[in-house]
Amino acid sequence: MPDLEPVDESWTTALCVVAHPDDLEFGAAAAVARWTDQGKTVVYAMVTSGEAGIDGMRPEEARRVREAEQVESARVVGVETVDFLGLPDGVLEYGVELRRAICAAVRQHQPEIVITNNFRDTWGGQNLNQADHIATGKATLDAVRDAGNRWVFSEQIDAGLEPWGGVRQVWAASSPQSGHGVETTQTFDRGVESLRAHQAYIDGLGWENFDPEEFLEGGARQGGTRLGVPMATTFEVFPMGWGE
Ligand SMILES: [Zn+2]
């Protein structure tokens, strides 16, 4: 029996907030391609530029390379807007400054759904999550609520942004506590292509024989089995209203 429910797809605008270029491409991008095909608008906000992510490349150069790779990988799945929030890669701290930066992105783009990555302690089993991901996910939940309160980060309101309380749900992709999913059978290949766009990053990992298609297929098939379809991306859904 399938144990995942389909996510709500009755929305028109989503904002994806993740710590690093490549975070969305390890599973969520195929779902993004499905939604842009449906005519929905999806915007990406990268909290950092992943400038500390390539061992053999200095941060100044890695920033330039990775921003370009992210813009290309977004284009592949129908995303035209990629914001880089400019916080420091590898040393993000959960707290007010991170909330402030994400809140500004929420107010600017006024999404109904906000998507981040898994921010639980692990990816399931013993595979530890990474500190920037955990900080970003937690701060995203808070920033969504901050965005609706004109007296929080009020300098953004003074500068012309409006409060935005219209986010209905926050979704954390690939969470080990996922209870929802969306079918990605038709758009799986574009998800693979969007991961391949991070070529300098993948080369820098030094993982021998890493095959993006094989890697993504494992997760997509597992999610699909749980949703009752060939392939799926999984999400933990956080309702942002009361009484749900
Ligand atoms: Zn990451």
Side-chain angles (χ1 to χ4, degrees):
M1 278 293 285
D3 65 342
L4 294 180
E5 278 181 58
V7 294
D8 177 4
E9 293 187 284
S10 66
W11 49 270
T12 58
T13 304
L15 171 67
C16 300
V17 180
V18 291
H20 312 120
D22 81 74
D23 286 353
L24 290 165
E25 286 68 42
F26 279 94
V32 170
R34 169 189 174 96
W35 294 320
T36 59
D37 283 358
Q38 292 171 348
K40 301 183 194 315
T41 299
V42 181
V43 171
Y44 284 179
M46 301 290 128
V47 174
T48 81
S49 293
E51 67 274 12
I54 301 178
D55 187 56
M57 192 183 288
R58 297 203 56 82
E60 313 83 81
E61 188 188 357
R63 172 187 303 276
R64 185 181 54 73
V65 168
R66 301 207 64 199
E67 288 186 358
E69 288 186 343
Q70 184 61 56
V71 167
E72 171 59 15
S73 89
R75 188 194 62 74
V76 167
V77 294
V79 172
E80 291 169 12
T81 303
V82 184
D83 291 351
F84 296 94
L85 307 188
L87 276 73
D89 183 19
V91 290
L92 287 181
E93 287 182 308
Y94 168 78
V96 170
E97 289 316 307
L98 187 52
R99 283 166 52 188
R100 187 192 308 274
I102 298 170
C103 175
V106 172
R107 285 171 170 168
Q108 184 185 345
H109 297 294
Q110 305 189 338
E112 297 154 78
I113 300 294
V114 170
I115 297 167
T116 185
N117 254 359
N118 170 34
F119 56 92
R120 299 291 180 183
D121 289 341
T122 73
W123 293 95
Q126 300 292 312
N127 299 313
L128 286 175
N129 206 342
Q130 193 262 357
D132 286 355
H133 301 161
I134 296 170
T136 297
K138 287 182 174 172
T140 296
L141 280 183
D142 292 331
V144 162
R145 281 179 291 187
D146 298 335
N149 185 337
R150 72 172 60 253
W151 307 117
V152 174
F153 307 134
S154 57
E155 75 283 358
Q156 295 172 2
I157 306 300
D158 295 341
L161 290 174
E162 295 286 334
W164 177 252
V167 178
R168 286 148 44 193
Q169 295 180 338
V170 174
W171 299 350
S174 305
S175 165
Q177 298 189 37
S178 292
H180 288 73
V182 67
E183 182 171 9
T184 54
T185 312
Q186 302 302 320
T187 50
F188 174 78
D189 290 346
R190 280 157 68 206
V192 173
E193 196 186 334
S194 81
L195 178 53
R196 288 194 200 283
H198 293 278
Q199 193 57 54
Y201 174 71
I202 291 169
D203 289 347
L205 288 173
W207 294 347
E208 246 178 83
N209 304 320
F210 173 70
D211 178 3
E213 181 167 5
E214 191 180 294
F215 183 91
L216 290 175
E217 188 172 348
R221 294 236 176 250
Q222 274 186 5
T225 299
R226 295 181 59 199
L227 189 63
V229 297
M231 291 180 166
T233 297
T234 64
F235 295 95
E236 183 174 2
V237 171
F238 298 87
M240 299 312 291
W242 289 104
E244 296 190 59

